[in-house]
Amino acid sequence: MEGTAFAPSLEGMKHIKTGQGELLTKPFLDVCKHILPILDKFGAAMTVVKSDIGGNISRLESRYSSNTSRFNYLFGFVQAEVETKSAKSSSSCTNGLLWLTRAMDFLVELFQNLHDHQDWTLAQACTDSYGKTLKKWHGWLANSSFSVAIKLAPDRKKFMEVIGGGKGDIQADMEQFCSTFSPILQEIHKFLARMGLDNMKAS
């Protein structure tokens, strides 16, 4: 499917839920993976975010592969770890899912900012999004690292041209990505909150 850098994610989102509305593991992780090439276009500014997202995807994929029928549904990871009382461990899949969802919250907020505030620089959009999403969960060190990294954000116009790829409407795709993915992320947060697992901070 030709189009902007968001096209693979938008296509993938059609398969995240079953007919009964349950979230499926592999399609969700695939959508998150499709975002990684967009982060590459930020250059050094997103290196830490990208490696964090990649690490959490790998952790969840590896557990999924160990028992695809048990972990076919996204919340299966959490339920299994709640049973074994290991959900709050920093190396748990629950923790991986929580941080992956938070990173996606940040990106949705960032792309929404780029859509809504077309006069903002990329660094402005990133800083605002970070303040609304990840900042409260990060310690001082992570906050400082982010502030330094964001100064390396590329020129907005060039960035938009690259992710637009000259094909399709980048503004429309960005808006669709945010409006479609945001409710899915909220659903994950609600589920984790019900389990008392949505407020873990960085160790």
Side-chain angles (χ1 to χ4, degrees):
M1 179 169 137
E2 287 296 323
T4 68
F6 288 99
S9 299
L10 291 173
E11 183 57 34
M13 280 190 225
K14 297 173 186 170
H15 310 290
I16 283 183
K17 287 190 169 189
T18 63
Q20 288 71 46
E22 291 178 284
L23 293 172
L24 293 164
T25 301
K26 191 169 183 316
F28 174 75
L29 294 178
D30 285 347
V31 166
C32 295
K33 265 203 276 203
H34 290 317
I35 303 299
L36 296 178
I38 300 178
L39 294 191
D40 284 336
K41 307 296 187 276
F42 278 94
M46 287 286 177
T47 309
V48 178
V49 175
K50 188 181 175 211
S51 76
D52 197 44
I53 291 172
N56 286 322
I57 290 174
S58 299
R59 182 190 304 186
L60 294 165
E61 275 189 330
S62 138
R63 191 78 198 277
Y64 168 73
S65 303
S66 72
N67 190 339
T68 51
S69 57
R70 179 164 193 196
F71 300 120
N72 185 38
Y73 297 112
L74 192 58
F75 298 149
F77 296 122
V78 182
Q79 285 152 340
E81 289 176 343
V82 165
E83 282 165 23
T84 57
K85 299 191 167 40
S86 59
K88 289 188 178 179
S89 150
S90 62
S91 58
S92 70
C93 285
T94 301
N95 201 44
L97 176 62
L98 174 63
W99 281 101
L100 179 58
T101 306
R102 284 175 179 169
M104 292 296 143
D105 289 336
F106 162 67
L107 294 175
V108 164
E109 195 66 47
L110 169 57
F111 296 130
Q112 193 66 56
N113 272 344
L114 288 173
H115 178 273
D116 295 347
H117 304 281
Q118 300 192 16
D119 54 332
W120 284 12
T121 65
L122 213 47
Q124 263 180 297
C126 288
T127 304
D128 180 80
S129 314
Y130 182 72
K132 289 179 185 164
T133 55
L134 289 170
K135 190 172 185 177
K136 65 182 169 193
W137 305 112
H138 277 167
W140 178 83
L141 191 64
N143 280 325
S144 310
S145 307
F146 186 87
S147 304
V148 171
I150 232 56
K151 293 187 170 72
L152 305 168
D155 172 69
R156 177 191 171 118
K157 187 166 181 293
K158 284 188 189 141
F159 172 76
M160 297 302 283
E161 281 168 5
V162 171
I163 64 169
K167 312 176 194 84
D169 181 342
I170 186 63
Q171 290 295 337
D173 278 8
M174 245 179 352
E175 171 61 30
Q176 193 187 343
F177 172 80
C178 296
S179 61
T180 311
F181 206 29
S182 188
I184 291 167
L185 299 175
Q186 287 313 310
E187 198 175 318
I188 296 171
H189 282 303
K190 279 181 189 155
F191 174 79
L192 290 170
R194 278 205 306 276
M195 297 289 194
L197 298 167
D198 197 43
N199 56 358
M200 293 190 277
K201 288 204 169 193
S203 47

